[in-house]
DNA sequence: TGCAGCATGTACCAATTGGTACAGTCATGA
DNA sequence: TCATGACTGTACCAATTGGTACATGCTGCA
């Protein structure tokens, strides 16, 4: 081991940039080609470094996977923060907006990766397990807040939020599997009708 | 190659029994330990045969995976057929029954495997891809029929069925990830209230 | 100029993988 | 009895894997 050990958790510093850049490229590649049979050599060749470099910056494949999962999670969350809440929008409109964002074809790879990581996490793969923690909780918080703001009682709000989250994910899986955007959109409209009671 | 090639699609015959028995054991093992990093040697050791035997009976790992996925799908479908439709049950009751069956802890491994296979299928893994075809369609058919029987118009029935399927899957994923049975059950009750308008 | 330290590549290693060759066992039927 | 054929195990192979050792370049500083 001749390396000066940058594989610590130090995210800062000049080489941190390179590291972050590598992770970003890695997530892109993984979103496009899957995380299941990722190999350091294959990834390295795809993003233009030798597999030796990946070990150098991340210490091990395991650590790299951790970073990939973490970054992918962050990207996922960014989708939520990207919606601009303009005044005058009904809750149903906001939900429609979020759904539209989430099903952007450009995000398909990202969403596929989400379900792929879920599968690994459910199996206890160490790099993915932490995802389980926030898989529901992290998303419930803002949704419950929205429900309460819209006038629901706290207890019911939690159930409604959990239901909404599950339905969105179920329909997203449907969309990715079938590609039937029109059909899935119709089902989503049906849900919004039931959920918000708007005609 | 000295083998007399039983790896054709011949499911019949005396050795077909052995084959079927091996597949069954394999699905059990895979439901418990995941399909992602399955190795012929590991599987063989777990179910008491040499990896040589698996190649002998299935021709290749790929073919074995195909059989595993197929069998797992069949088991999944059997859950649906196991519910006894007693007269006097409301649609909501039937849904509750199905939900109860589906979330039986003894099926957890099976359900985890379902999501795992979905992930692989979304990535185009050849043994799992065929699943995508029936992932929604196969389940929609009976659900639509039930909706129509309950008085929905055919067009709306399709949307409602699709929505119901997606919600169930989303909540199932929630349950597997969080283990919070009470919370997920509450959300499901909320859904049934919205969906069937009861209470 | 020369030195120090990071960044990168090449070559290599041990382990594991799917798959094959060959040989042994065991039942059945002539 | 013995020969046929299915069934199974052992030993092996080539390829790929994550990870390491070593050597080389490059940059900045004195």
């Amino acid at each position: 081991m001749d390396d000066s050990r940058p594989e610590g958790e130090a995210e800062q510093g000049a080489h941190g940039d390179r590291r972050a850049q590598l992770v970003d490229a890695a997530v892109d590649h993984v979103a496009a080609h899957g995380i299941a049979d990722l190999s350091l050599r294959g990834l390295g060749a795809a993003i233009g470094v030798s597999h030796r470099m990946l070990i150098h910056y991340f210490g091990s494949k395991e650590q790299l996977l951790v970073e990939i999962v973490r970054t992918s999670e962050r990207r996922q969350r960014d989708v939520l923060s990207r919606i601009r809440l303009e005044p005058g929008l009904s809750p149903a409109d906001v939900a429609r907006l979020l759904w539209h964002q989430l099903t952007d074809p450009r995000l398909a790879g990202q969403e596929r990766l989400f379900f792929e990581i879920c599968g690994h996490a459910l199996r206890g793969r160490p790099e993915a397990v932490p995802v389980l923690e926030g898989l529901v909780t992290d998303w419930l918080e803002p949704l419950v807040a929205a429900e309460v703001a819209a006038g629901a009682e706290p207890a019911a709000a939690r159930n409604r939020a959990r239901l909404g989250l599950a339905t969105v994910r179920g329909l997203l899986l449907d969309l990715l599997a079938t590609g039937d955007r029109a059909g899935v959109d119709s089902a989503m409209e049906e849900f919004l009708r039931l959920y918000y009671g708007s005609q």
Side-chain angles (χ1 to χ4, degrees), chain A:
Chain A
M1 174 101 52
D2 65 332
D3 294 331
S4 48
R5 216 139 315 191
E7 66 255 21
E9 53 271 36
E11 298 268 339
Q12 325 293 23
H15 92 277
D17 299 344
R18 182 88 177 109
R19 208 177 123 107
Q21 163 191 345
L22 287 179
V23 175
D24 238 49
V27 173
D28 287 341
H29 179 262
V30 157
H33 300 87
I35 202 178
D37 38 7
L38 181 75
S39 81
L40 294 182
R41 282 172 171 81
L43 175 62
I47 68 180
V49 296
S50 74
H51 79 288
R52 169 69 179 75
M53 281 301 91
L54 296 172
I55 294 283
H56 174 72
Y57 280 104
F58 299 95
S60 71
K61 183 186 182 184
E62 196 54 41
Q63 277 298 317
L64 171 58
L65 287 177
V66 168
E67 296 295 332
I68 288 176
V69 168
R70 209 174 281 171
T71 303
S72 159
E73 257 189 305
R74 181 148 28 87
R75 284 194 192 180
Q76 189 82 358
R77 255 183 269 281
D78 286 349
V79 175
L80 184 62
S81 71
R82 249 201 302 280
I83 66 170
R84 286 282 120 245
L85 290 179
E86 299 175 19
L89 289 180
S90 72
D93 286 336
V94 174
R96 242 178 233 109
L97 211 60
L98 181 56
W99 173 250
H100 195 255
Q101 288 269 0
L102 219 51
T103 57
D104 187 321
R106 286 169 297 183
L107 283 185
Q110 190 76 212
E111 307 298 349
R112 268 191 287 265
L113 179 57
F114 167 78
F115 284 108
E116 208 181 353
I117 291 178
C118 281
H120 288 200
L122 291 178
R123 280 307 170 190
R125 281 281 270 274
E127 77 274 7
V129 163
V131 171
L132 292 183
E133 195 70 22
L135 193 68
V136 173
T137 328
D138 290 358
W139 292 80
L140 230 50
E141 200 172 308
L143 291 177
V144 168
E147 283 296 315
V148 169
E153 314 161 26
R158 193 165 178 83
N159 288 339
R160 281 175 58 87
R162 197 156 202 168
L163 170 60
L165 179 63
T167 301
V168 165
R169 282 185 176 151
L171 285 177
L172 193 54
L173 179 59
D174 182 334
L175 176 61
L176 290 174
T178 67
D180 178 12
R181 173 172 282 268
V184 173
D185 278 348
S186 291
M188 176 50 100
E189 281 302 321
E190 177 69 29
F191 177 67
L192 292 177
R193 203 151 32 229
L194 293 177
Y195 198 74
Y196 292 113
S198 70
Q199 203 284 325

